[in-house]
Amino acid sequence: MRTKLIFGNWKMNKLTSEAREFALQSVEFKKYADEHGVQIGVAPTFTSLSVVKEVNPSLTVAAQNCHFEEKGAFTGEISIPMLLDLHIDWVIIGHSERRTYFGETNETCNKKIKALFAHDMTPIYCCGETLEQFENGLTKEVIKEQINVGLADLYKEHVKNMVIAYEPIWSIGTGKNASKEIAQDICSYIRDLVKEMYGDASETVRILYGGSVKPENVRAYLSEKDVDGALVGGASLKVDSFKQLIENIVD
Ligand code: PGA
């Protein structure tokens, strides 16, 4: 049985004061989520990681990126030991915005995932196709490459506890969400790819759908067999909307 996971990706939003306020209010709905067997987490900007973790240590808190080297001449980057120093042990890897605007590749994602596993941390590895690739029927080809390269040469013991997020780029922040059938089809395809690479780790790896997930549609996605949760941008920013995401998926 895979625990449902609702993860908020705050992107480049929220001042530390706003992040603190959210974290304060999250104490209550985190308890509600626990009571209903739902894991919840947020990925604030680097500047707000410690305040969120300090105010609500029980919340799963992820960084939105990291570097694969431990230290050195990489101006502007944040290393894994620096995150661990703040008690942050989850990181989003390969979000499409990082791939599109900051040159992230499947190969650099793989290096980062290996570095995270070397420190017993949990990656949320994002994959997904562009609108053009979707329209040309290339989705599975693109996903296969992202999974095969991004998850190459790992230990099965690590893979079984990681999280993968399928986020079609054409659905991110556009309000044009993929149908639940598409989400299921691709999440199940990802599970099959993980099975080919790491056997029964595919049974416990959690696969999320992301892209215009809102309180109104979250339940439909999570009712699908291979969709274990959601990675949510816009609808995770406000406390009320985050709370509704949880309320709408519990029975
Ligand atoms: P969105 O973003 O929910 O605003 O579409 C999702 C994401 O980028 O993770």
Side-chain angles (χ1 to χ4, degrees), residues 6-40:
I6 299 290
F7 222 100
N9 174 13
W10 287 352
K11 310 191 179 184
M12 199 172 71
N13 292 293
K14 285 194 194 294
L15 303 176
T16 50
S17 55
E18 295 164 331
R20 174 189 294 278
E21 187 53 35
F22 185 107
L24 273 172
Q25 296 193 39
S26 73
V27 173
E28 196 192 313
F29 64 82
K30 168 73 171 72
K31 277 193 206 133
Y32 176 85
D34 285 347
E35 281 160 20
H36 291 86
V38 177
Q39 184 182 359
I40 59 170

Side-chain angles (χ1 to χ4, degrees), residues 9 11 95 97 167 171-173 211-213 231-234:
N9 174 13
K11 310 191 179 184
H95 188 279
E97 287 147 19
E167 299 203 305
S171 75
I172 296 177
S212 299
V213 174
L231 184 56
V232 188

Side-chain angles (χ1 to χ4, degrees), residues 179-189 224-227:
S179 68
K180 63 184 174 58
E181 289 78 15
I182 294 178
Q184 164 58 25
D185 184 37
I186 304 302
C187 289
S188 133
Y189 179 65
E224 295 294 331
K225 184 165 105 4
D226 288 292
V227 181

